[in-house]
Amino acid sequence: EMAIAQPQGRRWEGSFTDKIEQERIKAREESERNKVSAILARRREKVALLQEHGRVRKGTTRNVCLILDCSSNLRSNHAPQRHELHLATLQDFVGNFFDQNPISQMSMIITRNGTAEKLTELTANFQRIREASRGVKPSGDPSLQNSLEAAIATLNTVPKYSTREVIIVYSSFMTCDPGDIHETIERAQKCKIQCSVIGWGAEVFLLKKIAKVTKGKYWVARDPIHFRELLSDFVNPPVEVYHQDNQAYLIPMGFPVRKDTLSLCSCHSQMTTVGYFCPECDSKVCQVPDTCRVCQIRLIESQHIARSHHHLFPVPLFRVQEMIDDDSSCYSCNRLISSSVDPKFYICDSCSHNFCLECDLFIHEQLHNCPGCA
């Protein structure tokens, strides 16, 4: 049998196809570059808005209840599933939250099968929250009322000097409640609890009312990137909307001593070699910040207090200037600013050093110190 010869294209057709493919690649890279530039520009606008408030009262000692919708509405045939997206994004959010708010506490509540399950009590140990949220499976219908009741019971006993916040991540358009949820919303307002909601798909009147009555925020996420941006807004301490009073409080805290001795820890009831010993009752915890299980005193280190005060005294915004010299480099990362996503100078008025946009955001969002001034 003779093999049939395949028709061969002309040489000029191959070069024409390669040229079209190169143009597509360039257009795709330019589109991705514009998207990244837009995201960084929005982040810088948020940093500027945070500093426009002037002299306001912020809650550096925060108590947050994180409510997660784990109903069967999260199941889908598309990969990745929205439930997996929620858990992965919330894992990163919890880590960033405690990195910027080391003396704060968080509790995690999930709603499914018409009930509310409290995975963790208020704790400053982010590893405990991460471990509790692993393996959670969606099922049944959500219940907003039961979730708010569990959050109110958790936050109603916290001291007056700390904030009371609820963050709701809700994906459903319905709720299965045993009673009148409007009474629960009024109780949350009387308890001075600020409830903020991040929804999916479309705006829901009930969720909007919860945020409006309790002086919170309500957003609808468009995509996973937008969902991550909305969650990042809750990392920095908010401006207090419920002013308790102008009285100053003394907060009891303990500075534990680290010892490498084999002994029983009070948090896991296991024998460990490395731990921190409470200065009040000499009980052992595995890591700090945490709360002593025996005397209930907050155990922290001096660096945690220093990191919490960065929100009260933020780094001033850098001055923006158009790029004139193409050979100028960033003082922090030493890269050419002309190769950056946004080719502009960001100049510190104190030390007069130039920074690129990425380093400017890193300084104002995470480092909270100017490398040139330090």
Side-chain angles (χ1 to χ4, degrees), residues 267-286:
C267 48
H268 299 93
S269 299
Q270 297 178 356
M271 299 296 291
T272 58
T273 55
V274 181
Y276 298 85
F277 288 83
C278 175
E280 188 74 19
C281 61
D282 205 31
S283 60
K284 181 182 179 180
V285 295
C286 292

Side-chain angles (χ1 to χ4, degrees), residues 16-28:
F16 182 72
T17 305
D18 294 341
K19 183 178 180 181
I20 294 178
E21 186 64 25
Q22 290 177 3
E23 291 178 353
R24 289 179 179 175
I25 294 175
K26 289 181 180 179
R28 193 182 303 116

Side-chain angles (χ1 to χ4, degrees), residues 106-127:
M106 180 181 289
S107 172
M108 191 168 186
I109 302 172
I110 62 172
T111 172
R112 59 183 177 181
N113 299 323
T115 61
E117 304 175 29
K118 187 184 296 184
L119 297 183
T120 61
E121 294 288 344
L122 285 174
T123 178
N125 191 339
F126 72 94
Q127 292 290 351

Side-chain angles (χ1 to χ4, degrees), residues 152-300:
I152 292 173
T154 303
L155 298 175
N156 201 23
T157 57
V158 300
K160 291 183 177 181
Y161 56 78
S162 59
T163 64
R164 302 175 181 181
E165 306 172 47
V166 174
I167 302 174
I168 305 174
V169 179
Y170 208 75
S171 301
S172 305
F173 297 134
M174 51 84 68
T175 175
C176 182
D177 299 328
D180 188 1
I181 190 174
H182 299 282
E183 296 180 357
T184 305
I185 297 174
E186 293 178 358
R187 283 212 309 125
Q189 181 189 20
K190 292 179 181 178
C191 295
K192 299 182 178 181
I193 299 175
Q194 182 181 6
C195 302
S196 299
V197 187
I198 299 179
W200 280 90
E203 184 177 284
V204 180
F205 172 77
L206 183 60
L207 300 178
K208 186 176 181 180
K209 181 180 179 181
I210 292 175
K212 182 178 180 181
V213 172
T214 60
K215 300 181 181 180
K217 300 177 181 178
Y218 177 50
W219 292 298
V220 178
R222 299 188 300 267
D223 49 54
I225 297 178
H226 188 219
F227 176 61
R228 187 180 297 271
E229 290 181 12
L230 295 178
L231 267 179
S232 64
D233 288 345
F234 297 104
V235 172
N236 294 319
V239 177
E240 287 193 5
V241 294
Y242 293 111
H243 296 291
Q244 303 283 353
D245 48 40
N246 293 325
Q247 182 179 356
Y249 293 90
L250 293 176
I251 306 175
M253 291 186 178
F255 297 90
V257 179
R258 175 172 174 168
K259 297 180 181 179
D260 299 340
T261 56
L262 182 63
S263 57
L264 184 69
C265 74
S266 60
C267 48
H268 299 93
S269 299
Q270 297 178 356
M271 299 296 291
T272 58
T273 55
V274 181
Y276 298 85
F277 288 83
C278 175
E280 188 74 19
C281 61
D282 205 31
S283 60
K284 181 182 179 180
V285 295
C286 292
Q287 59 183 0
V288 291
D290 204 344
T291 302
C292 179
R293 303 300 187 279
V294 179
C295 61
Q296 299 300 316
I297 195 174
R298 296 290 300 277
L299 302 177
I300 63 173

Side-chain angles (χ1 to χ4, degrees), residues 24-142:
R24 289 179 179 175
I25 294 175
K26 289 181 180 179
R28 193 182 303 116
E29 292 177 351
E30 186 67 22
S31 176
E32 294 295 332
R33 186 183 181 92
N34 293 336
K35 287 182 181 179
V36 173
S37 179
I39 292 173
L40 295 178
R42 287 198 299 267
R43 286 171 57 186
R44 195 172 196 279
E45 289 177 0
K46 291 179 181 179
V47 173
L49 288 175
L50 289 174
Q51 299 194 13
E52 282 184 358
H53 293 294
R55 298 185 62 182
V56 294
R57 182 172 179 177
K58 291 186 176 182
T60 56
T61 306
R62 306 169 62 186
N63 292 282
V64 180
C65 279
L66 183 60
I67 298 177
L68 178 62
D69 179 7
C70 288
S71 62
S72 57
N73 298 322
L74 294 174
R75 294 176 179 172
S76 63
N77 296 326
H78 304 285
Q81 293 186 0
R82 186 173 293 177
H83 177 66
E84 298 174 357
L85 169 67
H86 281 183
L87 291 181
T89 308
L90 289 174
Q91 294 279 345
D92 297 337
F93 166 72
V94 170
N96 294 333
F97 177 86
F98 284 108
D99 181 65
Q100 300 295 324
N101 305 272
I103 60 175
S104 299
Q105 297 185 105
M106 180 181 289
S107 172
M108 191 168 186
I109 302 172
I110 62 172
T111 172
R112 59 183 177 181
N113 299 323
T115 61
E117 304 175 29
K118 187 184 296 184
L119 297 183
T120 61
E121 294 288 344
L122 285 174
T123 178
N125 191 339
F126 72 94
Q127 292 290 351
R128 194 172 304 156
I129 299 177
R130 286 184 171 181
E131 293 173 0
S133 61
R134 291 173 183 168
V136 176
K137 300 297 182 182
S139 62
D141 297 326

